[in-house]
Amino acid sequence: MLRSTILLIFSLFLLTQCTKKDGSGTVTIQLDHSVAGNAFEVDQLKYACQAGHTYSIVNLKYYLSEIKLTDKHGQIISRGNIHLFDIQNPASASLNLDNIPDGDYTQLSFVFGLSEIQNVDGGLINTLENINMEWPIPGDQGYHYMKFEGRYDSLNTGIVRSFNIHTGATKGNQNYLEITLPIQTLILRDNNWTIHLQMDLNEWLQNPTTFDFVGHEAIMMDQSAQEIIKANGGTVFSIGSVKKT
Amino acid sequence: MRILSTFIVFLILVLHSCTKDSEIPNSWTYNPTPYLLEFPDEFPQMQIELANPLTVEGVQLGRRLYYDQLLHPAGMHACSECHLQQSSFSSSAEVLPHINLGWNSTFLWNGKISGTLEDIMQFEVDDFFHADMNRLEQDSLYPRLFFEAFGTETITSTYTARALAQFLRTVISSNARYDNVFLPGSGEFPTEEEQNGYDIFFSEKGDCFHCHGGILFTDNNFHNNGLDTQPSPIGRSAITGNPNDLGKFKSPTLRNIALTGPYMHDGRYTTLEEVIDFYSEGLKISPTIDPLMKQAHKGGIHLTGKEKSDLLAFLHTLTDTTFITNPAFNSPF
């Protein structure tokens, strides 16, 4: 009797050892914006672009989706976030990936914009914010991926005009971007972390192709301009600090 | 018979005044019926204050207050005097319409009030009307109506604002010709002119949709759309103090736009034709003009005569005649 009781206790002990819950934590992505290494200030006509104009950024909104963390064994964790950053809403500069299991994470990847799964009319939930991002161009579908609007002093002559870089699916081309960035190993052990994701807005306008605002006041129906922006997107993002919080 | 009913009315009056200072009369009940708000799936969910759920009693009270001059301290004005149903609850010049306000979070042309419908109603009742709650308390009907809607024995401006907010959440327009001919399912189709106008409105040709787009036909935001070289009044910057907001005003919804003239915050345009001419060739440049007014340096989007009339035909599809005749929104008096 005593023997069996001891056995029982022992096996219970073993069982609880086995089921001891693995830890998890929240990984916060903090979106930091700069312009050619300078602090980003809204509506300040003071940045220089490769095409030779001084420009300002008046409005900035964009979607990040399919955000994934990959650990050192190649296992991918996604929380299905579809995130809308809006310069008018400071709270939108950070987003949380909740309940991320313990692991050593080495890579952050995401879609800039929306892939064909969501990028159809009515593909996102009907919030006011999403409705304002609709892409209603006759013949096209879905949502704006980015609204990047501003003014430029044309070749610094004092003649100020505006530009509207609106990206999205145009004439059957999807135009979203897949970004993969290595991160300095994030060792999650039942704790919370913050990854600073940096966006250098000036890079949309260069590398590899100079984007000239002249002739590009609006580009929603202009696939060749969409392609320049898409290609330039490769150098826009980088990882800043990765820290325990 | 006539004498008898007069006597009964008299008796009721006497009884009523006797019970005035005592407990709640037995005949009053606080058992409000939830009000089911209905609108098409294309519309976003409406944010409703937890503290102020819609009830049949609350909505009816709000409607009555909206049409009642008793709300005004001198008994001279009612909301409905400037906000007329046949004009989409707008009227001459600068009066903003009351249509689909339940989806709004910034109010007045310069966005002086932001928050919920309760917040703007509190402002209207207290700061605009300086309403005197004693007038409602001394009325023969209101104490009971407030009790039935809110279970309250004292009438406050907060409850008054809540009732008005409930009513205005129900003031929804979703049945314009646009909703039938451009959204799938009805089997009705636009005319060729309306379709052309739609294409101008929703493409970068006209580019109206960036500010007046979506199912609500407003982006709920503030823009300088190029009315003046030196904007005055200064609009949004009067509230934010930010010089970059100079000349920005709320984008009005274009639903029922044919009913709400004259147009712009100062009513400077009498007709929609004039408004279209303005966007076509009348734009004025100022430092804060919105980047979306991308052809401003050419004076505008330069539509041909045919394009202008097509755009006008499209704007007329936004008129909802069932809204302006809906008996649920008209005067209960």
Side-chain angles (χ1 to χ4, degrees), chain A:
Chain A
M1 182 61 195
L2 188 68
R3 277 257 289 311
S4 58
T5 314
I6 291 173
L7 198 71
L8 190 73
I9 290 172
F10 183 61
S11 49
L12 272 178
F13 177 68
L14 269 187
L15 271 173
T16 50
Q17 279 300 95
C18 298
T19 57
K20 181 181 178 297
K21 215 175 126 263
D22 278 344
S24 66
T26 297
V27 175
T28 300
I29 311 238
Q30 180 68 41
L31 304 169
D32 298 339
H33 302 92
S34 62
V35 186
N38 304 301
F40 167 39
E41 288 175 65
V42 188
D43 216 346
Q44 298 294 323
L45 195 62
K46 65 176 186 186
Y47 303 109
C49 68
Q50 207 167 57
H53 316 293
T54 301
Y55 72 103
S56 66
I57 299 161
V58 175
N59 186 21
L60 182 67
K61 288 192 174 85
Y62 58 82
Y63 284 108
L64 300 181
S65 62
E66 298 178 43
I67 303 163
K68 293 171 185 150
L69 285 168
T70 307
D71 75 7
K72 63 180 180 191
H73 307 297
Q75 192 180 328
I76 296 169
I77 305 288
S78 172
R79 289 289 167 258
N81 302 51
I82 296 176
H83 185 77
L84 177 62
F85 171 79
D86 178 353
I87 192 67
Q88 291 188 347
N89 172 15
S92 69
S94 81
L95 67 117
N96 289 340
L97 309 177
D98 290 322
N99 226 345
I100 302 296
D102 282 359
D104 299 358
Y105 294 96
T106 55
Q107 185 177 296
L108 173 71
S109 56
F110 54 88
V111 165
F112 183 80
L114 302 163
S115 71
E116 43 276 83
I117 314 164
Q118 290 105 16
N119 197 41
V120 289
D121 292 346
L124 300 181
I125 49 167
N126 247 354
T127 60
L128 282 172
E129 293 76 16
N130 288 335
I131 288 176
N132 278 336
M133 291 297 276
E134 282 171 358
W135 185 272
I137 305 292
D140 290 336
Q141 283 262 325
Y143 300 84
H144 289 73
Y145 302 156
M146 171 165 72
K147 290 184 181 176
F148 175 18
E149 299 161 8
R151 306 190 179 91
Y152 65 100
D153 180 344
S154 189
L155 297 171
N156 305 321
T157 55
I159 299 171
V160 178
R161 299 222 169 130
S162 67
F163 67 89
N164 295 277
I165 301 176
H166 293 173
T167 64
T170 302
K171 297 177 176 158
N173 305 284
Q174 285 302 323
N175 296 330
Y176 63 86
L177 256 155
E178 291 174 287
I179 304 284
T180 298
L181 300 163
I183 48 180
Q184 146 217 328
T185 312
L186 183 163
I187 302 167
L188 195 144
R189 296 288 181 272
D190 211 15
N191 49 18
N192 300 330
W193 287 74
T194 298
I195 300 174
H196 283 260
L197 175 61
Q198 298 181 321
M199 185 166 175
D200 189 335
L201 298 166
N202 194 53
E203 288 296 309
W204 290 114
L205 311 175
Q206 61 185 30
N207 291 329
T209 307
T210 302
F211 184 88
D212 196 340
F213 301 131
V214 178
H216 286 142
E217 292 89 0
I219 64 163
M220 292 178 81
M221 287 126 87
D222 179 348
Q223 178 54 20
S224 65
Q226 297 281 335
E227 269 158 30
I228 297 175
I229 297 296
K230 182 181 172 183
N232 289 352
T235 52
V236 166
F237 297 94
S238 61
I239 298 289
S241 69
V242 177
K243 283 199 185 108
K244 227 185 287 181
T245 37

Side-chain angles (χ1 to χ4, degrees), chain B residues 254-299:
Chain B
L254 296 191
R255 280 188 178 268
N256 277 343
I257 192 65
L259 305 174
T260 64
Y263 302 103
M264 305 300 168
H265 66 268
D266 52 5
R268 69 177 66 186
Y269 298 126
T270 314
T271 63
L272 283 176
E273 283 86 343
E274 286 169 43
V275 173
I276 292 175
D277 287 344
F278 155 72
Y279 282 110
S280 181
E281 50 266 338
L283 297 183
K284 306 253 172 50
I285 295 190
S286 60
T288 56
I289 188 169
D290 202 282
L292 290 163
M293 309 309 297
K294 53 191 187 291
Q295 311 282 20
H297 59 282
K298 296 182 196 154

